Amino acid sequence: MNFSSKLLENAVNEVSQLPGIGKRTALRLVLHLLKQPTSQTHQLSKALNNLVDAIKLCEKCHNISDVAICEICSNYARNSEIICVVEDVRDVMAIENTAQFKGLYHVLGGKISPIEGIGPQNLTIDSLVEKVKGGTIKEIIFALSSTIEGDTTNFYIFKQLEKYKIKTSTIARGIAVGDELEYADEITLGRSIVNRIPFDKSF
């Protein structure tokens, strides 16, 4: 792809690094931004800079937040005795959209995947175990996607928590095997949370 401007080429190269964006799509997006009022493009740039510079991870659940403790963890109306374990913030958003879960979350930050070099030490599993050690948690709900990596991560955490004798459950398989939570429709996902099953009966 030949560019008449180095500035344009640099912008296209940066945008094309986003997931699912190829060079042609990146060029279309960059040219679109050039046609917009300068103030609008500056506003986008400012929002991205603020995102990178000011975003935080909740000290309790590791969800993305503007403050040290996220709105969900600081909400006293939530049931703090139930924790739903998810892969990332997209899964929190997907479950919250169902309005069927009133407990708290624990965001792992990924799934165990030896092929990608991701082990238990790369996830927030240790802090989850520490929460359970505190003795106030009554149930852990595993809500990872039904993939080999998701099932491996669920089982690893299950074995870590087994000695604490707490209830462990997993979302019902209304979610097709291999599907990611974020793509499930809200009704199916909501029913999967409500109709969760004991984890040790799921394998």
Side-chain angles (χ1 to χ4, degrees):
M1 189 178 291
N2 295 320
F3 295 91
S4 58
S5 162
K6 195 68 178 175
L7 295 174
L8 177 63
E9 182 179 1
N10 289 341
V12 169
N13 287 338
E14 291 301 319
V15 173
S16 67
Q17 293 183 49
L18 295 171
I21 304 294
K23 284 287 179 69
R24 291 186 182 279
T25 301
L27 176 60
R28 199 158 55 243
L29 291 172
V30 171
L31 292 176
H32 171 77
L33 289 173
L34 282 176
K35 292 178 182 177
Q36 302 309 302
T38 303
S39 59
Q40 186 174 332
T41 304
H42 283 165
Q43 195 67 25
L44 172 61
S45 176
K46 183 180 178 182
L48 293 174
N49 283 329
N50 288 340
L51 174 70
V52 173
D53 295 338
I55 202 75
K56 294 176 174 63
L57 292 181
C58 175
E59 293 175 2
K60 289 188 175 181
C61 72
H62 310 286
N63 190 17
I64 287 176
S65 175
D66 293 341
V67 292
I69 305 298
C70 74
E71 292 181 357
I72 295 175
C73 287
S74 60
N75 184 348
Y76 291 106
R78 309 287 298 215
N79 184 349
S80 61
E81 296 179 338
I82 302 176
I83 292 181
C84 184
V85 179
V86 297
E87 180 182 351
D88 61 30
V89 63
R90 294 170 297 180
D91 299 329
V92 173
M93 295 170 68
I95 294 172
E96 282 297 285
N97 285 338
T98 71
Q100 296 296 315
F101 180 67
K102 301 304 180 185
L104 301 180
Y105 295 92
H106 186 90
V107 180
L108 294 173
K111 294 174 288 193
I112 295 173
S113 177
I115 293 176
E116 297 179 13
I118 301 173
Q121 72 280 2
N122 302 117
L123 307 177
T124 63
I125 295 174
D126 287 345
S127 64
L128 175 62
V129 174
E130 287 301 314
K131 287 179 186 177
V132 174
K133 276 185 184 178
T136 60
I137 308 302
K138 292 187 176 178
E139 181 181 3
I140 295 290
I141 303 172
F142 295 109
L144 301 185
S145 53
S146 305
T147 60
I148 292 175
E149 292 83 4
D151 289 343
T152 299
T153 307
N154 283 341
F155 188 71
Y156 178 87
I157 298 173
F158 172 73
K159 298 304 288 184
Q160 298 298 305
L161 301 178
E162 201 170 19
K163 62 184 176 184
Y164 298 107
K165 307 298 182 184
I166 66 165
K167 181 179 179 181
T168 54
S169 58
T170 184
I171 55 176
R173 295 307 188 190
I175 309 299
V177 172
D179 279 1
E180 299 288 348
L181 248 60
E182 62 178 302
Y183 300 123
D185 67 273
E186 293 170 10
I187 294 176
T188 300
L189 182 54
R191 286 175 178 168
S192 294
I193 289 287
V194 171
N195 299 318
R196 58 187 181 273
I197 59 176
F199 180 75
D200 57 359
K201 300 291 193 297
S202 67
F203 54 86

